[in-house]
Amino acid sequence: MKWNLLYFDDQIQNIEAFKELLAENFNVVGCSDATRFASMLEENNPHTILLDVHMPILDGHALYKSITENSFYNGCPIIFISGDQSDENKLRSYSKGGIDFLARDLKVEEIVVRIVNKVKMFLQMSNSLELGNLTIDVKSMSSSIAGKNIDLTLLELRMLSNIVRSFPQTLTRTELIQKVWGTDSVKVGTINTHLTNLKPKIEGWNHHIKVRDENIIVQKKN
């Protein structure tokens, strides 16, 4: 599986070069117009974002602020890149919130490893799940609907977390059993029982869970 990398750089040749350099690990989507950041965030759901520091209209530091304040930003790591390796530029990039600073003259192998490591850390630390008015805090093992806590068993919470994490893709009952129990020995009917018990507890959710044949489907309520 390749990760999605959103790259803002006013130099088209830089974007094209990174599409080739990172092709093994990333689907690189480039944008040379930083003012389009909102639509780019909405359309691409990136695993990481790379920002050129020196750009017209919106430089990398101003763009960072705009991105992190936008409702479509998913919390993924944002990395600065620049040919300006001055201590002032590096310090400002880190102080603005960048998780890393890449110099353009770094070896390709180092650039790839550093970006890949940041994405892996992000995926491992993604402890909050949201879908509609439902929020699940995986770390504290708690959940709420429209800000009101809902009382779920640990098993129900694990099931719901996996269903939400898979959205908008469908999840089969067999896949859910494997994710929750880590075995194929649990009967499929067990899933039906737990889902039946779960549904009244999440009645206030603006989505609902349906089972059609082998598939578990999440749909928004009309």
Side-chain angles (χ1 to χ4, degrees):
M1 171 189 169
K2 290 186 180 182
W3 297 311
N4 299 326
L5 184 148
L6 188 53
Y7 180 21
F8 290 91
D9 195 316
D10 62 308
Q11 300 297 317
I12 301 292
Q13 62 268 28
N14 290 338
I15 293 173
E16 294 304 317
F18 267 74
K19 284 182 178 180
E20 183 176 346
L21 294 175
L22 303 177
E24 184 176 346
N25 298 287
F26 294 95
N27 295 311
V28 178
V29 177
C31 182
S32 58
D33 180 2
T35 62
R36 293 181 52 218
F37 71 90
S39 62
M40 296 300 290
L41 290 174
E42 182 179 4
E43 294 167 8
N44 293 285
N45 191 28
H47 293 89
T48 188
I49 300 172
L50 190 61
L51 303 180
D52 178 31
V53 174
H54 298 297
M55 293 186 290
I57 305 177
L58 272 179
D59 68 13
H61 299 139
L63 180 55
Y64 177 95
K65 184 175 187 296
S66 296
I67 287 174
T68 54
E69 291 176 350
N70 188 271
S71 60
F72 289 108
Y73 173 55
N74 62 10
C76 71
I78 299 178
I79 301 170
F80 288 105
I81 186 167
S82 179
D84 176 4
Q85 300 181 51
S86 65
D87 291 340
E88 180 184 358
N89 192 32
K90 290 180 181 179
L91 182 60
R92 190 177 178 207
S93 297
Y94 283 120
S95 65
K96 290 293 181 180
I99 197 169
D100 202 356
F101 179 95
L102 302 177
R104 290 197 181 275
D105 61 357
L106 286 174
K107 291 183 178 180
V108 173
E109 294 82 1
E110 181 175 348
I111 290 176
V112 173
V113 168
R114 284 168 66 169
I115 297 176
V116 165
N117 285 345
K118 297 301 184 295
V119 173
K120 287 181 177 178
M121 288 174 60
F122 166 64
L123 294 176
Q124 291 169 358
M125 296 174 65
S126 295
N127 293 318
S128 181
L129 300 171
E130 293 186 13
L131 183 57
N133 61 350
L134 170 69
T135 300
I136 301 173
D137 188 325
V138 178
K139 188 173 182 180
S140 66
M141 301 306 289
S142 62
S143 55
S144 62
I145 293 176
K148 184 178 180 180
N149 289 337
I150 52 176
D151 186 19
L152 302 180
T153 66
L154 179 58
L155 189 57
E156 290 169 344
L157 192 63
R158 291 183 66 191
M159 289 175 60
L160 187 58
S161 297
N162 280 284
I163 291 170
V164 170
R165 197 185 297 275
S166 296
F167 182 84
Q169 304 299 321
T170 58
L171 194 66
T172 68
R173 288 185 289 183
T174 302
E175 288 171 337
L176 184 58
I177 289 171
Q178 188 66 46
K179 288 176 180 293
V180 174
W181 282 272
T183 178
D184 296 324
S185 62
V186 175
K187 295 181 179 179
V188 171
T190 303
I191 288 289
N192 296 341
T193 300
H194 287 294
L195 287 177
T196 298
N197 294 334
L198 174 63
K199 284 181 180 180
K201 296 182 180 182
I202 57 173
E203 191 174 354
W205 187 23
N206 55 12
H207 289 64
H208 51 204
I209 299 171
K210 291 186 175 181
V211 179
R212 292 179 180 170
D213 298 324
E214 174 65 5
N215 295 319
I216 298 170
I217 301 169
V218 174
Q219 294 178 330
K220 190 172 183 178
K221 292 178 179 176
N222 296 327

